[in-house]
Amino acid sequence: MSRARTARRIAAGAAYGGGGLGLVGVAAVGLVLAEVQFAKRTVGSGLPDPPRADGLYGGGFCGSGLDPGPLRLAMMGDSTAAGLGVHRARQTPGALLASGLAAVAERPVELRNVALSGAMSDDLDRQAGLLLDGDAPPPDICVIMIGANDVTRRMPPTQSVRHLTSAVRRLRLAGTEVVVGTCPDLGTIEPVYQPLRWLARRVSRQLAAAQTIGAVSLGARTISMGDLLGPEFAANPREMFGPDSYHPSAEGYATAAMAILPTVCAALSLWPESDRLEVSRDEDMLPVAQAASAAAGQAGTEVTPARGPWALLKHRRRRRVPAEDAGPAHPPATLTHSQDP
């Protein structure tokens, strides 16, 4: 069965209440998960909690007579969204995105990160509630990074997608733009060997494609995390992965932020949009399931809703995050990275 057809069935099961559809054979999945869990025990976790990076970024843009106030950026999801594995707040993906967004928008950005290490998709409703149920206005944009723990802990994919789409729907109804970083490629974990590496990759990509179909149907955009965003991770795993060989290093998170930032800016109409597709960059307009399948196989690919059952498959140019003072205007964190528009 093709990845697009499988993803379509998973998304349909999530929408209409199915729960028993598997990704691959039960025995194969069991082997994959056992190997991944063994790999995690082998490399050892023992990582401290991720640093808190909530705060106001781009404070130098405050004070204009026509100041509309800060943009509100939220982060939801699991340990990758939280920034597990780095020691400084400025190295977390949320801080990097907030700094980059402030530089592009020339406007301060208020970051709130409610991601939780170890979270699965069934925690997204709680996280969305933290952002939406209080007196504060809803975020202007929310980045969700989720999926790896769903695979390793055997959450049925239809349930995984159902929880994700429920959270996306809540955010969209509140007026929040949403960007989903789909399930990363578990086949990149170094202690997982062939042939289980291939099976882990297949499971991860099937879930990522199904997540894309569900999210795009609600007007969200997705970015394929794939092998944690590109050949850099395959070529330089010692630099891109942290000390546990499972979570990204500071350089790895910076690489991820570079790929996500253009989509965040585009969702807020801060990035030039063009109806012209760059064929040389393999951009295309495809049925949503085909676009989702193609994106799952190529890290850093954006899928954006188009008209009807169609979606745009885009490969936006990444933006380097240079070292520059552009940190929060107040504690708990300082940031020395910003994005050059």
Side-chain angles (χ1 to χ4, degrees):
M1 184 186 300
S2 70
R3 186 191 302 146
R5 184 179 176 188
T6 301
R8 239 187 345 257
R9 291 181 62 193
I10 294 170
Y16 297 108
L21 181 62
L23 291 167
V24 294
V26 174
V29 171
L31 285 172
V32 170
L33 301 184
E35 185 79 357
V36 170
Q37 292 294 347
F38 175 75
K40 291 171 71 175
R41 290 195 299 271
T42 299
V43 298
S45 181
L47 296 175
D49 291 338
R52 298 292 300 173
D54 291 21
L56 190 69
Y57 292 74
F61 297 114
C62 294
S64 167
L66 300 176
D67 184 5
L71 286 167
R72 296 178 297 276
L73 167 67
M75 298 288 295
M76 290 172 50
D78 55 23
S79 56
T80 304
L84 185 67
V86 297
H87 302 290
R88 296 177 176 85
R90 66 174 181 265
Q91 298 171 328
T92 63
L96 291 165
L97 288 171
S99 177
L101 180 58
V104 172
E106 298 185 346
R107 182 176 168 186
V109 173
E110 183 180 353
L111 171 67
R112 187 176 181 195
N113 194 330
V114 296
L116 178 68
S117 294
M120 296 189 292
S121 292
D122 58 3
D123 191 55
L124 293 178
D125 182 67
R126 181 192 66 84
Q127 294 182 27
L130 292 174
L131 297 174
L132 301 176
D133 290 346
D135 295 330
D140 294 299
I141 189 161
C142 181
V143 175
I144 304 174
M145 303 169 74
I146 199 75
N149 295 322
D150 295 19
V151 174
T152 60
R153 297 181 188 176
R154 308 191 188 201
M155 174 177 284
T158 49
Q159 290 185 24
S160 178
V161 174
R162 189 180 305 129
H163 289 304
L164 172 63
T165 54
S166 176
V168 171
R169 184 179 294 107
R170 286 187 67 183
L171 290 162
R172 296 289 293 143
L173 288 174
T176 299
E177 297 291 340
V178 179
V179 173
V180 177
T182 56
C183 181
D185 183 356
L186 296 178
T188 60
I189 301 172
E190 280 196 297
V192 177
Y193 303 106
Q194 295 290 12
L196 298 182
R197 184 183 294 270
W198 176 85
L199 289 171
R201 175 165 287 119
R202 182 182 176 189
V203 170
S204 305
R205 289 181 177 181
Q206 287 178 345
L207 179 56
Q211 289 176 317
T212 293
I213 293 173
V216 168
S217 70
L218 296 169
R221 302 180 187 224
T222 65
I223 284 286
S224 170
M225 303 303 289
D227 52 357
L228 286 175
L229 300 177
E232 296 95 333
F233 279 82
N236 303 296
R238 294 290 185 270
E239 294 180 11
M240 296 298 173
F241 284 105
D244 66 350
S245 298
Y246 187 77
H247 293 91
S249 64
E251 183 64 26
Y253 281 125
T255 301
M258 281 193 298
I260 296 172
L261 179 63
T263 299
V264 168
C265 294
L268 292 171
S269 301
L270 298 171
W271 212 260
E273 293 277 23
S274 173
D275 292 333
R276 182 175 60 85
L277 298 172
E278 295 189 40
V279 179
S280 63
R281 295 171 61 83
D282 294 325
E283 296 188 343
D284 204 351
M285 180 178 288
L286 298 168
V288 173
Q290 291 184 28
S293 176
Q298 186 171 0
T301 304
E302 174 187 323
V303 179
T304 301
R307 51 185 176 272
W310 298 82
L312 294 175
L313 192 73
K314 300 185 73 68
H315 303 283
R316 297 186 185 275
R317 291 180 173 83
R318 302 182 186 184
R319 299 286 172 157
R320 171 62 60 182
V321 181
E324 181 178 314
D325 288 333
H330 56 74
T334 59
L335 186 68
T336 58
H337 291 73
S338 70
Q339 184 74 28
D340 183 357

